[in-house]
Amino acid sequence: MTTLEQKLIAIRRHLHQNPELSNQEFETTAAIRTWLEEADITILDTPLQTGLLAEIQGETDGPIIALRADIDALPIQEESGLPFASTIPGKMHACGHDFHTASILGAAYLLKQKQAELRGTVRFIFQPAEENGGGALQVIETGGLDGIQAIFGMHNKPDLPVGTIGITSGALMASVDGFRIDIEGVGTHAAVPDNGIDPIVTAAHLITALQTIVSRNISSLHNAVISVASIHGGSTWNVIPPSVTLEGTVRTFQEEVRQQIPGHIKRVIEGVAATYGANVSLHWHAGPPPVQNDEALTNLAIQAAQKTGLDVVKPTPSPAGEDFAFYQEKIPGVFVFMGTSGTQEWHHPAFTVDERALLSSAQFFAVLAEKALAKLTSSLGLL
Ligand code: NI
């Protein structure tokens, strides 16, 4: 095992033992700062409360590209049984962001050794708050993306073995929008429903009708899911309540489908509510759009993976979301799935990553950064 590999494993384990939730990553940020300073890597001044940006500037002026890692953990009690399990009750790196952070630090260490040869600048984005979706927007709003021409990031992938990497152009992860529907009726005794307006019967029809949006309004060539995941109304068996609240989520891999769905939902719920005499209101929470990988940069990532000795596979897109997509709204980027031979899926209390993936992950991003700078610098520039 190389010294670098040992160091990255130690970093990853330190992060794993000390998980912090979204926007609370103060100790994590301090540790990353120390690890970067030890390697004489420049840290940028930003107004970010947590998370940080760093840069390695080559000898020659050139484009700036970014490597991004997310750094936050989840409110989950760890049950992995690992000797280096979380030391903080109720908090856990159950999505492997410790692995992402250590990988991108490793890429920074490798690129630091090649600083003189770099044909431009590599910015490292250690992003807070991926889990609650606010972190990427914080980075963008505080200028963290300014000047960057291409961005790369990853998620570990438990169902891909170590030594493989999932890379594809186009959609890789779904958009994540949320909604709340308030149904206002008129409460009454359950024995005399004709004296009121029943929001529960309205809700029942409305939930069923919402399912026709995907089956009747969305092309069979596209895909989307609309899930009502929460329903609240009433408190006892013989009173019809005055209101019911529903909450749910919409996922899709196509931005054009995503744009259509709120209008369909509004139309359906207003129609159903009118049928039963209830009032209805829709509250929309727009989350990240789909992760959409740029084709030219994807080819570059495939070349970098091959050079690193990783097997490139075509990944199955994930209906989970990623706020990396907010960066891709601004600039072209590629998000990859790194095989980590996990035994459990993301967010499971016994989630693990196989640390043998760590060194090659760092090497992949270092090679990719070099290639991206060279490509962007060349006369056949990508953009
Ligand atoms: Ni994650």
Side-chain angles (χ1 to χ4, degrees), residues 279-336:
N279 288 315
V280 72
S281 55
L282 174 65
H283 306 269
W284 196 257
H285 176 75
V291 168
Q292 288 280 355
N293 286 337
D294 177 85
E295 195 169 343
L297 294 178
T298 297
N299 291 334
L300 218 54
I302 290 170
Q303 290 169 25
Q306 287 165 342
K307 193 173 172 195
T308 314
L310 292 165
D311 283 336
V312 178
V313 297
K314 187 142 178 98
T316 306
S318 166
E322 239 297 339
D323 71 358
F324 187 83
F326 284 127
Y327 301 125
Q328 293 175 311
E329 276 190 321
K330 305 278 182 196
I331 55 170
V334 173
F335 196 74
V336 302

Side-chain angles (χ1 to χ4, degrees), residues 44-66:
L44 304 185
D45 276 337
T46 76
L48 288 173
Q49 295 289 308
T50 56
L52 82 170
L53 307 185
E55 261 184 17
I56 296 176
Q57 197 172 357
E59 292 297 310
T60 48
D61 276 348
I64 312 176
I65 65 106

Side-chain angles (χ1 to χ4, degrees), residues 70 95-97 100 130-131 155-156 322 346-347:
D70 43 8
C95 204
H97 297 185
H100 305 164
E130 191 280 328
E131 295 293 355
H155 212 289
N156 67 85
E322 239 297 339
W346 301 329
H347 297 205

